[in-house]
Amino acid sequence: MEALGHGLLPLGALGSCQKEQRCQLVRIICSPLPYSLNSCASLKYRNKNEIRMQAVQEEYELKQMKDMAASKRRWDGLIRDGKVKVLTPREAGYAIQLSNKMLLDVRPPMERKKAWVKGSTWIPIFDVDTSLEVGTLSRRATNFLMGGWWSGIPALSYNKQFLSNVEEEFAKDTDLIVACQKGLRSIAACEVLYNAGYCNLFWVQGGLEAAEEEDLEREGPQPFKFAGIGGLSEFLGWTDQQRDAAAKEGWGYRLTFSARLVGLVLGADALFIGAQKVGQYLQELRSH
């Protein structure tokens, strides 16, 4: 079977076969494999590749879980030891208004441009990865296929200039409120800043998404709660934030997204029918 797989067979194995029989066997063996054998080999190859890719993905996810657990222990330690103080969005708003504390917004650009706190300083700790390197392109494709198309979140990479940019803006003894959309990236930023010598750090628990409109003075076209959504889920109105808004706004709000869903289904149906027509036309051209 191994010899068949390589398209070769030792001539010595033919033993008593005549020369003409040998040539005939060699021609048969060296000719392309039958469709059924090729299909089986291709199917086995694809199955092996799928199993290998699944194993790599599971290993990556396991590593991510371990890294996240280790990070969470460090962040809990910073809060428990009082190295980073915790604020609610409302408390952060009071601190900005009454104590003139500075707010550092560490969100990526697609969230910042939708809504931001008036007077805040924007320095993202993670930025959109626009590199054209092979590894980056692969990561961007994986991110899109694994849910980026639905959530609208692009592939992000650590901003290597984050710390230096913060140091250019703020002295190490500045009372600094650090915020992101959900609270995860901002606590990571607090860790980076604390290790660099910043000693008066305040973390907005739950991020700007947890803020009510009256908590912070907002600028930008959308509410804070909507700044973190995107992709097809936002277009169809299938995010938790939009469902909450629909419950308050009523049927007019819901009908907008229902119309979008109907339009999307009709568009997909039209594309499918069009593809079928094109396929039939090409098949007719080949037959003639």
Side-chain angles (χ1 to χ4, degrees):
M1 182 60 70
E2 184 179 356
L4 281 174
H6 289 81
L8 299 172
L9 184 65
L11 294 180
L14 298 178
S16 59
C17 292
Q18 297 177 355
K19 183 176 181 179
E20 184 178 353
Q21 292 173 318
R22 289 177 182 171
C23 294
Q24 184 180 5
L25 282 170
V26 170
R27 282 196 301 271
I28 293 172
I29 293 167
C30 291
S31 64
L33 290 172
Y35 176 76
S36 59
L37 289 178
N38 276 327
S39 299
C40 291
S42 176
L43 182 60
K44 290 180 180 178
Y45 179 75
R46 287 200 302 270
N47 288 341
K48 287 181 179 179
N49 274 347
E50 289 174 1
I51 293 172
R52 190 180 300 113
M53 289 176 63
Q54 184 178 358
V56 170
Q57 180 66 25
E58 290 177 353
E59 183 179 354
Y60 174 76
E61 291 176 355
L62 181 60
K63 182 179 182 301
Q64 290 286 91
M65 291 173 61
K66 289 180 178 179
D67 291 345
M68 179 58 68
S71 298
K72 190 176 185 304
R73 286 194 294 270
R74 295 196 308 271
W75 299 336
D76 289 344
L78 289 174
I79 295 170
R80 183 176 58 251
D81 298 339
K83 297 172 181 177
V84 175
K85 287 82 173 177
V86 179
L87 297 177
T88 65
R90 178 164 296 183
E91 290 170 342
Y94 289 149
I96 294 170
Q97 292 177 12
L98 303 178
S99 305
N100 294 320
K101 288 183 171 60
M102 303 301 298
L103 188 138
L104 174 62
D105 187 344
V106 300
R107 296 176 299 164
M110 69 279 183
E111 295 176 357
R112 167 77 181 189
K113 69 181 181 181
K114 293 181 179 179
W116 60 92
V117 177
K118 184 178 180 180
S120 61
T121 300
W122 177 53
I123 304 175
I125 187 171
F126 293 98
D127 209 344
V128 178
D129 198 338
T130 57
S131 172
L132 297 178
E133 297 178 359
V134 176
T136 301
L137 293 175
S138 175
R139 185 165 64 251
R140 287 163 63 181
T142 302
N143 176 80
F144 180 81
L145 294 172
M146 295 297 291
W149 61 274
W150 178 254
S151 66
I153 300 175
L156 302 174
S157 60
Y158 178 71
N159 178 13
K160 296 179 181 178
Q161 282 75 46
F162 171 72
L163 182 57
S164 60
N165 290 343
V166 174
E167 290 174 336
E168 289 174 3
E169 293 287 337
F170 303 108
K172 297 290 177 70
D173 60 350
T174 303
D175 288 342
L176 200 56
I177 301 173
V178 186
C180 66
Q181 187 64 23
K182 295 179 180 292
L184 189 61
R185 286 167 293 196
S186 52
I187 189 63
C190 285
E191 181 183 20
V192 172
L193 295 174
Y194 178 81
N195 291 337
Y198 284 86
C199 52
N200 297 316
L201 296 170
F202 300 83
W203 170 56
V204 180
Q205 188 176 31
L208 298 179
E209 190 170 296
E212 301 298 333
E213 283 298 299
E214 64 272 14
D215 292 344
L216 295 158
E217 191 172 356
R218 176 180 61 84
E219 292 183 329
Q222 296 190 25
F224 287 124
K225 293 182 183 297
F226 286 8
I229 63 178
L232 186 59
S233 61
E234 180 186 18
F235 178 78
L236 296 176
W238 286 358
T239 65
D240 292 336
Q241 297 89 330
Q242 289 168 304
R243 290 194 188 98
D244 292 340
K248 296 176 183 177
E249 298 290 337
W251 281 105
Y253 189 90
R254 297 177 186 177
L255 285 174
T256 300
F257 295 104
S258 298
R260 291 183 182 181
L261 176 59
V262 171
L264 183 65
V265 172
L266 291 176
D269 193 42
L271 286 174
F272 178 73
I273 294 173
Q276 281 186 322
K277 295 293 185 183
V278 171
Q280 290 173 0
Y281 177 71
L282 293 175
Q283 190 173 6
E284 290 175 1
L285 287 179
R286 291 195 196 99
S287 63
H288 293 307

